């Protein structure tokens, strides 16, 4: 349990610091592992983007989502854990942000 918690804290720090989109100056994609889920949020000029398209790509598989009223999508680590994804979103003004992230294996998968 202690090792799982330390791993989660380490992954959270890593993804929080490094998983921001770099293709657009003002648009950002934030990736935060949360145990059984990974939270992906999208913002533009510091404002959350509601109903923004979020695309996940992994080995030819493409999945489409939309952010909720908090500007976030929650992806299950049970089905997506231990995989690298390319994550992309487009703002209403046409800006495109892209980042990559490794979704952690959920503690429930152990």
């Amino acid at each position: 349990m202690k090792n799982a918690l330390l791993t989660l804290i380490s992954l959270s720090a890593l993804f929080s610091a490094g998983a921001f989109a770099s293709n657009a100056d003002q648009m950002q994609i934030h990736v935060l592992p949360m145990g059984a889920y990974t939270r992906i949020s999208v913002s533009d000029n510091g404002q959350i983007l509601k109903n923004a398209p979020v695309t996940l790509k992994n080995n030819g598989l493409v999945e489409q989502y939309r952010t909720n009223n908090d500007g976030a999508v929650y992806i299950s680590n049970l089905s997506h854990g231990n995989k690298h994804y390319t994550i992309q979103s487009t703002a209403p003004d046409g800006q495109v942000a892209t980042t990559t992230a490794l979704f952690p294996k959920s503690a429930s998968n152990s």
Side-chain angles (χ1 to χ4, degrees), residues 14-57:
L14 173 69
F15 283 112
S16 295
F20 295 102
S22 59
N23 292 0
D25 291 333
Q26 300 160 359
M27 186 176 175
Q28 293 183 322
I29 297 174
H30 310 271
V31 180
L32 179 64
M34 301 177 67
Y37 294 91
T38 293
R39 180 180 192 267
I40 300 170
S41 59
V42 181
S43 63
D44 189 14
N45 285 324
Q47 301 296 314
I48 62 169
L49 290 180
K50 299 176 184 178
N51 202 37
V54 175
T55 303
L56 272 72
K57 298 178 184 178

Side-chain angles (χ1 to χ4, degrees), residues 4-102:
L5 181 59
L6 289 174
T7 300
L8 179 61
I9 291 169
S10 297
L11 286 171
S12 294
L14 173 69
F15 283 112
S16 295
F20 295 102
S22 59
N23 292 0
D25 291 333
Q26 300 160 359
M27 186 176 175
Q28 293 183 322
I29 297 174
H30 310 271
V31 180
L32 179 64
M34 301 177 67
Y37 294 91
T38 293
R39 180 180 192 267
I40 300 170
S41 59
V42 181
S43 63
D44 189 14
N45 285 324
Q47 301 296 314
I48 62 169
L49 290 180
K50 299 176 184 178
N51 202 37
V54 175
T55 303
L56 272 72
K57 298 178 184 178
N58 171 273
N59 291 330
L61 178 66
V62 177
E63 298 178 56
Q64 301 283 332
Y65 299 92
R66 290 243 171 220
T67 58
N68 62 16
N69 285 336
D70 296 324
V73 173
Y74 294 86
I75 308 297
S76 171
N77 290 335
L78 292 174
S79 58
H80 292 81
N82 279 349
K83 296 177 186 169
H84 286 275
Y85 286 91
T86 299
I87 305 164
Q88 185 174 32
S89 186
T90 305
D93 65 4
Q95 284 187 80
V96 176
T98 303
T99 191
T100 59
L102 170 65

